[in-house]
Amino acid sequence: MSMRKFKLMASADALQAPPSALLDRVRGEFLEMPGLRLTPAQAARLWGVSDPIARGLLTTLAETRFLVHRDDGSYARWPN
């Protein structure tokens, strides 16, 4: 599925999407916008998910070193 299709998902669809689809969508957002930095609250609004789901997605990607959790509470791409 292309990234454009992920961006067109409605909020209700995002809540029901399997975790792997959500993780793929989040990775895609950070790959398309290299300087993107989001707090969990901003991520929840952007992806149309609850705060706990946004935190879980960001934490998972930080644990795999795709993202880094910054001192200001935001998440950004891991430095290459």
Side-chain angles (χ1 to χ4, degrees):
M1 185 178 282
S2 74
M3 291 313 303
R4 288 193 175 110
K5 288 183 183 177
F6 278 121
K7 288 185 176 182
L8 295 176
M9 275 198 299
S11 295
D13 294 335
L15 287 172
Q16 296 177 18
S20 62
L22 281 171
L23 285 170
D24 289 345
R25 179 179 176 197
V26 172
R27 277 189 204 97
E29 297 281 349
F30 281 97
L31 289 170
E32 285 184 12
M33 296 176 273
L36 183 63
R37 290 174 65 172
L38 296 171
T39 65
Q42 292 169 327
R45 286 190 301 274
L46 178 64
W47 302 317
V49 297
S50 67
D51 283 346
I53 290 173
R55 285 182 190 283
L57 291 165
L58 294 168
T59 299
T60 298
L61 292 172
E63 288 171 351
T64 61
R65 293 189 171 217
F66 180 79
L67 297 179
V68 62
H69 188 202
R70 305 180 64 85
D71 290 339
D72 65 2
S74 68
Y75 288 80
R77 278 291 314 274
W78 187 262
N80 296 357

